[in-house]
Amino acid sequence: MSSVPPPDRSDDEPAPSVSDEELESFLREAAEGGGAPAPKEPSARARMVAARLREQEEPTPWRGPRPAPKPRRRWGAVVGVVALAAVAVLALRPSLVTDRFPGGEAGAAAAAPAPLPAETARPSGAPGDTGGSEQATRDAPFRGSPALRWAEGADAIELPEAKAVAGMGRADAELALRRTKEFLVAANLDPDVIAGGRPDEALDLLDPEAQKDLLPDQRRGLHEPSREHDPVGLFSRFDPDEVRLAGDVVKVRGRMSLAGGKPGEIKVHADYTFVYPLVRADGGDHVERTIVRREITTLLLDPDRWYAMPGKLAIHEYKVNTFNTACAVYDGYLHPVFPEDRERATGPSVDPYDRSGELRDTQGEECGTVTRT
């Protein structure tokens, strides 16, 4: 076998015989990302066959995947044939297309807009429209929601600067802030608690000396929930037989502040909204979001001045508003409302993302509608 390369063919020499069927097969396989090595064929002939292919195939926008008819497949379907004229270019620079697909650089930028800066004061109004008509999916559970730009999980709970207050030092203030964050995370972001488990870590942070009524009431509510003792007042729990999180992200927005109370009493006030995307436990792709806004004031007490255990928290007061959850159900769980379960509500309409005012003091009686989820 000779190892000498054949001489270059001049333009006047006839082209090797390649049938239209062979060329068409190659071009189809190249557009799909595979196939055999290219047959040697003049570019004019390639363009002719490519034109016939375009007439036979349904056109697909080159900038990205065609939306599928069902929302659940909108980000998952990449169908059709890439324009033939781009095949050779893509072999050298595939990022020209992949950067425009979901998951590519341009697609990622569109799917993940710039996050909001941390909230340091009460907002002046509700967030503006963020494409609320866009349907959430398993892959994009916060699509169409203002929470898309919120921070995620425990990282969203930022601690203010600690300072000495009420005759207690800065280290005590740091401890009060840190313990309050730990309680919020254990009560609202622990995956086991969200999935209906007992919030034991959160309960262990509370002072049994200072909470002689609250702790027994909460334990009773977890064991035998009722209208009077419902643990969702402090803990975000969902029935695992009914729903589960769509993914592993909970969006959070709010702020925390530090103040001194009576001598030997550090007060921490927290106001946070948690957004939970959920799907039915028995399957299905429809995503519903339940929103929970909580205000809680905790105390860290000086055990030399108060009946208190060192390092434990006391809860001075707490309030909660829940949105897109079933009314008048007191079984220890939050119940997101899916379209087939919705009933006509008689209460006022409320924007669950509006953090500009105080929590509504409903005493658990009011049941209205949400303007968006």
Side-chain angles (χ1 to χ4, degrees):
M1 178 182 293
S2 173
S3 61
V4 179
D8 293 337
R9 179 172 57 84
S10 69
D11 292 339
D12 296 329
E13 293 178 19
S17 177
V18 179
S19 70
D20 286 355
E21 291 76 12
E22 290 175 326
L23 181 59
E24 181 173 331
S25 174
F26 159 69
L27 290 173
R28 287 181 183 276
E29 293 172 349
E32 296 171 357
K40 296 181 176 61
E41 183 69 8
S43 60
R45 181 114 174 265
R47 288 195 297 270
M48 177 184 69
V49 177
R52 187 165 68 243
L53 274 175
R54 286 194 294 271
E55 293 174 356
Q56 295 173 351
E57 299 288 345
E58 182 180 358
T60 299
W62 112 274
R63 289 185 175 271
R66 184 200 329 165
K70 295 182 180 180
R72 69 183 185 184
R73 297 178 58 196
R74 185 170 297 161
W75 289 101
V78 180
V79 296
V81 179
V82 179
L84 257 297
V87 170
V89 179
L90 295 180
L92 297 176
R93 295 189 61 193
S95 63
L96 290 178
V97 165
T98 58
D99 282 357
R100 287 168 168 77
F101 285 170
E105 292 179 6
L116 292 174
E119 183 179 287
T120 57
R122 177 172 292 172
S124 59
D129 178 57
T130 52
S133 61
E134 295 182 297
Q135 179 64 49
T137 67
R138 285 178 177 267
D139 293 332
F142 298 99
R143 181 186 294 163
S145 162
L148 184 64
R149 298 183 61 196
W150 292 9
E152 300 176 5
D155 290 341
I157 302 176
E158 299 186 7
L159 303 184
E161 183 179 357
K163 59 183 179 180
V165 293
M168 300 178 71
R170 179 173 178 175
D172 295 318
E174 289 175 345
L175 179 61
L177 291 167
R178 188 170 67 252
R179 287 284 187 263
T180 301
K181 175 174 179 174
E182 291 171 358
F183 180 83
L184 291 170
V185 170
N188 301 281
L189 297 173
D190 185 319
D192 292 335
V193 174
I194 293 172
R198 285 180 56 87
D200 290 327
E201 289 188 23
L203 292 172
D204 288 344
L205 292 168
L206 301 181
D207 189 344
E209 290 289 335
Q211 307 275 233
K212 291 186 181 297
D213 293 328
L214 184 140
L215 274 172
D217 287 347
Q218 291 301 316
R219 292 192 173 105
R220 177 180 175 183
L222 289 163
H223 182 63
E224 296 178 347
S226 64
R227 182 173 181 172
E228 183 179 2
H229 302 292
D230 193 342
V232 298
L234 274 176
F235 309 111
S236 295
R237 306 170 72 237
F238 297 88
D239 186 344
D241 293 331
E242 180 181 308
V243 296
R244 56 187 173 86
L245 274 181
D248 56 4
V249 173
V250 176
K251 293 283 191 169
V252 185
R253 185 150 184 83
R255 63 192 182 278
M256 189 183 298
S257 61
L258 175 73
K262 298 175 181 178
E265 183 182 81
I266 297 176
K267 285 187 174 183
V268 177
H269 181 75
D271 179 351
Y272 285 91
T273 299
F274 302 86
V275 183
Y276 302 92
L278 301 134
V279 293
R280 289 195 182 277
D282 58 1
D285 292 320
H286 184 84
V287 177
E288 281 294 335
R289 292 183 288 256
T290 289
I291 300 99
V292 179
R293 183 181 173 190
R294 298 189 184 278
E295 280 192 21
I296 182 171
T297 301
T298 63
L299 305 175
L300 185 72
L301 301 172
D302 182 353
D304 293 334
R305 305 187 190 191
W306 300 88
Y307 290 109
M309 294 183 64
K312 296 286 188 178
L313 289 178
I315 294 182
H316 179 62
E317 64 179 359
Y318 64 94
K319 293 186 289 185
V320 60
N321 284 171
T322 59
F323 306 93
N324 195 32
T325 183
C327 299
V329 179
Y330 308 104
D331 62 355
Y333 299 117
L334 298 167
H335 297 275
V337 182
F338 287 76
E340 59 269 27
D341 300 326
R342 289 199 174 102
E343 298 179 358
R344 187 175 184 83
T346 58
S349 296
V350 179
D351 183 350
Y353 293 98
D354 186 355
R355 295 182 40 79
S356 63
E358 300 281 351
L359 266 72
R360 300 173 66 87
D361 188 8
T362 63
Q363 302 298 321
E365 300 295 333
E366 188 177 84
C367 188
T369 57
V370 292
T371 58
R372 54 182 171 177
T373 63

